[in-house]
Amino acid sequence: MNAAKSRVVVLGSTGSIGVNTLDVITHHPQRFEVFALTAATSVKTMLAQCALHKPVFAVMASEPHGLQLQQACSSAGLSTRVLWGSSAIAMVAGHELADTVMAAIVGAAGLAPCLAAAQSGKRLLLANKEALVVGGQLFMDTVAAGGATLLPIDSEHSAVFQSLPQDPKDWGTRIDKIILTASGGPFRTRDPMTLRGVTPEEACAHPNWVMGRKISVDSATMMNKALEVIEAKFLFGVAPEQIQVVVHPQSVIHSMVQYVDHSVVAQLGTPDMRGPIAYGLSWPERISSGAAALDFSTMTGLTFESLATDDHRKRFPGIDLAWVVLKAPPGTTAVLNAANEVAVAAFLARKIRYDQIHHVNTQTLNSIAPQPPGSLDDLLALDLQSRQAAEVAISHLHA
C-alpha cells in the first residue's frame, strides 16, 4: 500500500454506490487506492473488482460465498486475502491502515461496520442512511468520541452539506430550515386508487436514478424521504419542524437550505451519484467525478409540488411517519426502519401488496414501545424485535 494515497474501504462494493465509488477512484489513481472491499453474495462481481483494484482484503457476508471467492481468487492468482462474516466486515471498516470508509451496505446490516469506522476515527462517507436512522444519537456520539469525519453521500444530504455555512457552529443561528427535494418516483402522477396493483417491476422503475431494488421501492413509496428526514435531523442538528420536503420531478436541485433572512442556497447537478461520491472522497477539495455537466440551455423548466395535496397524501402516506417517530421515544426510528425493510422484502417477494407496505410499518410501530438504546447490542435487539413484529403483521394480512 502507498502511504501517500488515501486507502479506501468500500462496504457494499458490488451495489450501485459501491460501483460508482470504484469508478471515481479509478479516475484518480494518484489520490486513492482500494484497501478493502465487502459484498453480500455477488461473488462474480467481487472477483472482477479484486482483479482490477487488487485490495488487501475482500470480505463476503457469509462463509459459503467467502469460500467461493477464496477459491476463485486463488485460481486467478490474486493475492487478496478473502474473509467472511459480519465481524470481518467490521474489522476492515476499522482497520488501522484504512483512511476512508464508504458505507454503502443496504439496511441495518451496515450499522456495526459504520460504528467500527466511527470508533476508529475514519473519514466515514455515509451512503447507508439506515445506519444513522437506526443508530440515532448513539451513532452521532460515537462519531464525536472517535474523532471521525462524517460526510453524507445521499444526494440530498450532500447537497444540504454543500449549502450550509462552513463552520457547524453557525448552523444553529443561521439556518431557518432544510428543504429536501424528492423526485416523486414512478408513481408521482399515478391514480392513487390503482396503487393496490403495483408490481415490484413497476416500483423499481425509477424515472431519474439507477438504484438497487430496495431503495427503488423506498423511493416509490417515499419512505426513502422519511428516512432522509430522520437522517437530516441527526446529521445537521435541526429540529424536526425545520425540515421540509418538496417534490421536484426533474431531480436537478438536490436539496436546499433556507437561511434566517429567507435567502435560499441550493445545490444543483445531474442525477449521478458520482458527484456526491467525489465530493466526499476529496472534501474539502473538489475533483472531477465523471458526471455530466448540467446544460442549462436544454432545460425547459424546474418545477415543484407540495406533498400536502390530497392525491400526494394518498400516494405517499409513509412520509409523515418521519415526524411521528422523531417525536416518539428514542429507538422508535429503529423500529420504523426494521419494519420497512421487512415489508419491502415481502413486497419484492410478492408476499404482500404494494399498498400493504405502509400498513406493516404502522402496525409494527403501534406494537412496540422501545426503551432508549444505550449500546449496539440494544439496537440490534430492538431491530430483531421489530422485524419479528413486522413478520407478525404480515402474517395477519394472510390470516
Side-chain angles (χ1 to χ4, degrees):
M1 304 302 290
N2 189 326
K5 299 180 181 180
S6 176
R7 296 177 291 269
V8 182
V9 176
V10 183
L11 305 174
S13 67
T14 61
S16 60
I17 296 294
V19 169
N20 279 316
T21 300
L22 292 175
D23 181 73
V24 174
I25 288 173
T26 299
H27 286 86
H28 298 278
Q30 76 284 1
R31 293 188 62 133
F32 309 106
E33 60 182 322
V34 177
F35 179 73
L37 302 172
T38 83
T41 61
S42 302
V43 173
K44 184 177 180 180
T45 303
M46 177 66 96
L47 177 63
Q49 291 178 345
C50 289
L52 179 61
H53 298 284
K54 298 177 174 54
V56 175
F57 295 103
V59 188
M60 302 300 295
S62 69
E63 182 176 1
H65 293 101
L67 291 173
Q68 289 179 39
L69 180 64
Q70 188 178 63
Q71 177 60 46
C73 284
S74 178
S75 298
L78 300 178
S79 60
T80 296
R81 183 181 175 189
V82 178
L83 306 172
W84 50 83
S86 56
S87 60
I89 296 173
M91 182 277 290
V92 297
H95 200 287
E96 62 181 0
L97 295 181
D99 304 306
T100 299
V101 176
M102 169 59 77
I105 295 175
V106 176
L111 176 59
C114 281
L115 285 171
Q119 290 167 345
S120 301
K122 307 302 182 190
R123 173 184 289 233
L124 179 54
L125 310 184
L126 190 66
N128 174 294
K129 64 173 64 69
E130 293 89 350
L132 186 49
V133 170
V134 175
Q137 194 57 48
L138 176 65
F139 182 88
M140 295 304 295
D141 291 344
T142 303
V143 169
T149 300
L150 181 64
L151 298 171
I153 299 301
D154 267 352
S155 61
E156 296 82 1
H157 299 95
S158 177
V160 171
F161 183 71
Q162 294 179 58
S163 302
L164 286 168
Q166 187 171 11
D167 191 343
K169 291 194 294 292
D170 293 331
W171 294 355
T173 57
R174 295 190 185 182
I175 299 172
D176 182 32
K177 62 182 175 180
I178 287 171
I179 305 169
L180 302 177
T181 57
S183 70
F187 307 134
R188 180 179 64 85
T189 60
R190 181 159 170 161
D191 182 349
M193 299 303 292
T194 69
L195 293 176
R196 176 188 177 99
V198 164
T199 66
E201 290 74 23
E202 290 174 313
C204 290
H206 196 282
N208 298 338
W209 297 90
V210 177
M211 305 179 292
R213 282 164 62 81
K214 194 269 182 184
I215 193 172
S216 293
V217 175
D218 283 348
S219 180
T221 63
M222 204 75 88
M223 183 53 65
N224 73 318
K225 212 53 53 176
L227 299 178
E228 287 169 13
V229 169
I230 297 167
E231 188 179 7
K233 187 270 181 191
F234 289 111
L235 275 173
F236 306 119
V238 295
E241 54 270 21
Q242 288 180 280
I243 307 171
Q244 179 184 351
V245 177
V246 297
V247 176
H248 171 51
Q250 295 80 23
S251 296
V252 171
I253 297 177
H254 296 308
S255 279
M256 300 169 271
V257 174
Q258 180 171 296
Y259 285 77
V260 293
D261 61 358
H262 290 173
S263 62
V264 177
V265 176
Q267 189 268 336
L268 287 70
T270 52
D272 189 325
M273 286 306 300
R274 289 177 297 177
I277 288 168
Y279 184 71
L281 284 169
S282 63
W283 179 86
E285 302 174 39
R286 289 186 183 266
I287 58 175
S288 62
S289 66
L294 284 175
D295 184 352
F296 289 93
S297 67
T298 64
M299 288 187 193
T300 57
L302 302 178
T303 62
F304 303 90
E305 301 166 10
S306 169
L307 279 171
T309 66
D310 288 342
D311 278 353
H312 276 345
R313 286 192 173 278
K314 293 173 183 176
R315 290 184 186 104
F316 311 120
I319 183 67
D320 290 334
L321 294 179
W323 289 272
V324 170
V325 297
L326 284 174
K327 294 177 181 178
T332 308
T333 57
V335 176
L336 175 61
N337 180 77
N340 186 62
E341 286 190 21
V342 171
V344 170
F347 165 68
L348 289 172
R350 304 179 196 275
K351 295 179 180 178
I352 64 173
R353 298 192 312 266
Y354 175 84
D355 61 320
Q356 292 175 327
I357 294 173
H358 181 63
H359 174 81
V360 172
N361 290 341
T362 54
Q363 287 297 107
T364 305
L365 285 171
N366 290 335
S367 68
I368 294 179
Q371 296 298 313
S375 67
L376 174 59
D377 287 343
D378 289 345
L379 288 169
L380 295 177
L382 179 58
D383 179 74
L384 177 59
Q385 179 189 8
S386 303
R387 289 172 188 275
Q388 292 170 340
E391 294 288 0
V392 170
I394 290 170
S395 69
H396 287 166
L397 290 172
H398 301 291

